Amino acid sequence: FYEELPEELEKSVQEVNDSYQSAEAKADEIDQMNSAYKEKASQYNEYADTLDGKINTQNKLKAEVDKLRKDMQGITEQSAYKTAVDNYNAKVREYNESVKDAQSYYDENFAEDGPASKLRTELESDLEKIQTASSEYQELKGDLTAKSDALGVNVTEINNQIDNSITPIAKDI
């Protein structure tokens, strides 16, 4: 019926194609952003997990110190008490070292210029960019849907024109 598409239909097809390519490009951009975000989040979580381990060690040692202190209170025999005090003091030193270790790790990695702190700032910024890109993608997807719907109307109009040109012939048969 048509050797080439009518200009309006061809324009609609091109608009749908352009909208699809824009939406696809934005989706690819979001995928890349998500991948980079996950990598940074993994790095940050390594720092956080290490700090968490150090804090858990510190808490465990604190509980041991508290238990040893309580246990000492019931000891009346002098040599047993001296041993208990020595054990208590050794555990207190171990606890104090764990506190210093955790604090040092925190200061090195989570302080303002620390790598974990920088990663967190980057993650917050990246998340905002991902959210913005996702909103842009939704707009592009809406545009694609609208243009696809318009294309459907144009195809329907062409089909109606074809039907109108065929109907009189079919009535003559």
Side-chain angles (χ1 to χ4, degrees), residues 5 9 26 29 32 69 84 87 108 111 117 126:
L5 292 176
L9 182 58
K26 186 58 70 174
E29 178 185 342
Q32 291 172 2
R69 183 180 322 122
N87 290 340
E108 289 172 18
S117 179
D126 290 354

Side-chain angles (χ1 to χ4, degrees), residues 56-96:
N56 288 338
T57 298
Q58 177 181 318
N59 291 339
K60 182 180 141 241
L61 290 170
K62 174 70 167 114
E64 290 176 23
V65 165
D66 292 344
K67 183 182 179 317
L68 288 172
R69 183 180 322 122
K70 182 180 176 194
D71 291 347
M72 276 190 327
Q73 293 172 357
I75 300 174
T76 56
E77 201 269 313
Q78 188 171 354
S79 69
Y81 185 76
K82 180 186 178 323
T83 301
V85 168
D86 290 343
N87 290 340
Y88 173 80
N89 287 336
K91 193 57 71 176
V92 166
R93 283 190 293 277
E94 188 179 352
Y95 167 74
N96 287 339

Side-chain angles (χ1 to χ4, degrees), residues 18-150:
D18 292 346
S19 290
Y20 175 81
Q21 289 178 357
S22 294
E24 182 181 44
K26 186 58 70 174
D28 289 343
E29 178 185 342
I30 292 170
D31 285 344
Q32 291 172 2
M33 293 168 83
N34 279 330
S35 179
Y37 182 88
K38 286 177 184 177
E39 177 62 33
K40 286 179 186 176
S42 176
Q43 292 171 7
Y44 178 82
N45 287 337
E46 287 178 26
Y47 286 108
D49 290 345
T50 299
L51 180 60
D52 191 48
K54 290 178 181 299
I55 291 170
N56 288 338
T57 298
Q58 177 181 318
N59 291 339
K60 182 180 141 241
L61 290 170
K62 174 70 167 114
E64 290 176 23
V65 165
D66 292 344
K67 183 182 179 317
L68 288 172
R69 183 180 322 122
K70 182 180 176 194
D71 291 347
M72 276 190 327
Q73 293 172 357
I75 300 174
T76 56
E77 201 269 313
Q78 188 171 354
S79 69
Y81 185 76
K82 180 186 178 323
T83 301
V85 168
D86 290 343
N87 290 340
Y88 173 80
N89 287 336
K91 193 57 71 176
V92 166
R93 283 190 293 277
E94 188 179 352
Y95 167 74
N96 287 339
E97 285 302 313
S98 75
V99 170
K100 287 179 192 175
D101 183 47
Q103 187 63 50
S104 175
Y105 186 81
Y106 179 85
D107 291 344
E108 289 172 18
N109 296 294
F110 289 89
E112 194 171 316
D113 293 343
S117 179
K118 289 178 183 176
L119 277 171
R120 183 180 176 110
T121 301
E122 289 175 21
L123 285 167
E124 290 168 355
S125 173
D126 290 354
L127 183 59
E128 287 179 20
K129 290 174 186 173
I130 290 170
Q131 290 169 337
T132 298
S134 294
S135 294
E136 291 169 358
Y137 172 76
Q138 291 303 320
E139 290 176 20
L140 290 168
K141 195 167 96 172
D143 184 57
L144 174 60
T145 300
K147 289 180 178 172
S148 295
D149 289 347

